[in-house]
Amino acid sequence: MQKTKSYLSDTVSRLKPSGIRRFFDLAASMEGVISLGVGEPDFITPWGVREACILSLEQGYTSYTANAGLLELRKEISDYLLRRFRVSYDPADELIVTVGASQALDVSLRAIVNPGDEVIVVEPSFVSYAPLVSLAGGVPIPVQTSGTYQFKLQPEQIEQVVTPKTKALIICSPNNPTGTVLNAEELAQIAHIVAKHDLLVISDEIYAELCYDEQYTSFPAIAHMRERTILINGFSKGFAMTGWRLGFIAAPKDLATAMLKIHQYTMMCAPTMAQYAAIEALRNGADDVERMKKSYRQRRNFFVQSLNELGLSCHMPGGAFYAFPSIQSTAMTSEQFAERLLLEEKVAVVPGNVFGASGEGYIRCSYASSLEQLQEAIRRMKRFLERL
Ligand SMILES: Cc1ncc(COP(=O)(O)O)c(C=O)c1O
């Protein structure tokens, strides 16, 4: 008998592929492209971390670890969170080592969402949030921040969309794609509304190490928020370890216990050799992180100033490695701008609308490229704009 039906679930059929991919595929098929598209460090993982991984292999540490991750690593993570962000989690039952922050997000959402539950997603946002909410059976509720406020969530915006079905709010500071950082006072205002409506917060702090201008505030460090926060962090960005696929979840015991069940059945554990590498990163990696951060800050200053000089108005992003300039002065859509810039001047950027409706009129440029490449990109963008 011939196959007559689609075997796909309705949820998966409805998911759109990430808009970032289309531009990467186009850029990859061209020669001489300067890519400001990718969201990852341009540094190789520091040698000490790679060496620790090699050593672990030499010693034959190639089997599974505990489901939640090596206890030795969880202890290091616990010390690190206290030292760096003044938040305290018990390594025994409040920390789970995951396959990147990506899996941490997936596990978190699947642990809390009942069918039809609503999860507020603050846009422009990392492209995975809304699809992950849908895959967990929930309904993503976008909230659009505005360039007028440097894309900072205004607390009253939460109130405007809260319903009896609202379960959680996902926040991300420093933000991808805008680089915006929320300070302690702004987080406290959000916390007030969160408590009022009895919401849970998933705080994606994957860029916490890359905060350039002020002391970083972790959301669970805000008064009374620890009990209603799932903290997500990892090694990809700050430690330049994207390919190692290592992140972690910190959450109160009841939530962590539930999440561990999912992690146990779906993943067993995070990669063992990456876990040994991560122990070294936390013990001795602070100087390397500082060195990379200093370099990003220098590139940020050059790049954002240059964009503004070109007439592409851009707020100074406090963290991550993204600039999010407005291209509204060109009267093009984000997609038109990005496509023409790529085809005519071979500079790859990501159209802002792929991160949510409020990203329309903006482009995301990653400045995790060499200063020479950034200078050349600016020259090409200048030529492009002068021709318009
Ligand atoms: C905001 C945000 N969260 C999570 C991730 C995923 O990180 P990981 O590589 O640890 O899975 C990314 C990666 O780009 C990101 O930008």
Side-chain angles (χ1 to χ4, degrees), residues 132-382:
L132 286 176
V133 172
S134 301
L135 285 169
V139 182
I141 303 294
V143 162
Q144 305 301 334
T145 58
S146 158
T148 314
Y149 304 109
Q150 301 192 352
F151 298 100
K152 290 185 178 192
L153 173 67
Q154 307 299 299
E156 61 274 15
Q157 290 187 287
I158 306 173
E159 300 231 87
Q160 286 159 8
V161 295
V162 160
T163 74
K165 285 189 169 175
T166 311
K167 178 64 87 49
L169 161 73
I170 306 178
I171 57 172
C172 178
S173 166
N175 179 273
N176 173 10
T178 63
T180 296
V181 178
L182 297 171
N183 63 30
E185 197 184 321
E186 289 154 349
L187 290 173
Q189 286 168 4
I190 293 171
H192 177 71
I193 307 289
V194 160
K196 184 173 159 195
H197 295 282
D198 204 6
L199 304 180
L200 179 86
V201 170
I202 297 178
S203 185
D204 181 348
E205 307 192 1
I206 189 72
Y207 294 99
E209 283 289 357
L210 304 178
C211 190
Y212 304 116
D213 302 322
E214 48 189 312
Q215 170 99 11
Y216 182 72
T217 305
S218 175
F219 193 72
I222 302 284
H224 313 300
M225 285 300 112
R226 186 189 183 282
E227 292 316 301
R228 48 173 81 247
T229 302
I230 297 176
L231 167 63
I232 288 175
N233 204 328
F235 297 86
S236 289
K237 314 290 178 170
F239 293 88
M241 293 177 68
T242 45
W244 299 77
R245 310 309 305 126
L246 212 65
F248 57 87
I249 298 167
K253 186 177 171 185
D254 56 335
L255 284 164
T257 306
M259 290 189 275
L260 186 59
K261 283 194 282 187
I262 305 172
H263 181 65
Q264 197 169 43
Y265 287 129
T266 55
M267 209 55 67
M268 193 79 90
C269 66
T272 301
M273 50 278 235
Q275 293 192 50
Y276 281 103
I279 292 172
E280 172 62 21
L282 293 178
R283 278 190 190 149
N284 297 308
D287 290 348
D288 286 313
V289 171
E290 202 47 46
R291 170 179 56 82
M292 294 189 275
K293 180 171 146 180
K294 205 169 147 199
S295 163
Y296 293 131
R297 186 195 286 119
Q298 187 194 13
R299 290 181 265 172
R300 174 196 71 157
N301 292 348
F302 161 75
F303 192 66
V304 173
Q305 190 187 338
S306 302
L307 287 172
N308 281 300
E309 283 166 8
L310 290 184
L312 299 181
S313 154
C314 185
H315 72 269
M316 186 57 81
F321 33 60
Y322 308 110
F324 203 62
S326 165
I327 49 102
Q328 285 158 26
S329 59
T330 67
M332 279 189 265
T333 65
S334 300
E335 296 250 356
Q336 286 165 343
F337 186 97
E339 192 153 346
R340 279 189 60 182
L341 183 63
L342 179 59
L343 295 176
E344 295 176 27
E345 289 292 346
K346 298 189 176 178
V347 176
V349 299
V350 183
N353 63 307
V354 309
F355 304 101
S358 49
E360 180 53 57
Y362 295 82
I363 52 169
R364 189 191 78 174
C365 311
S366 164
Y367 53 81
S369 269
S370 71
L371 208 48
E372 295 70 38
Q373 292 258 298
L374 293 175
Q375 284 163 342
E376 177 57 20
I378 289 290
R379 273 194 288 276
R380 293 184 188 188
M381 288 167 94
K382 183 163 190 274

Side-chain angles (χ1 to χ4, degrees), residues 83-98:
R83 185 169 75 235
R84 292 285 289 120
F85 308 116
R86 302 203 193 105
V87 289
S88 169
Y89 289 93
D90 187 340
D93 47 25
E94 294 188 316
L95 290 171
I96 305 172
V97 180
T98 58

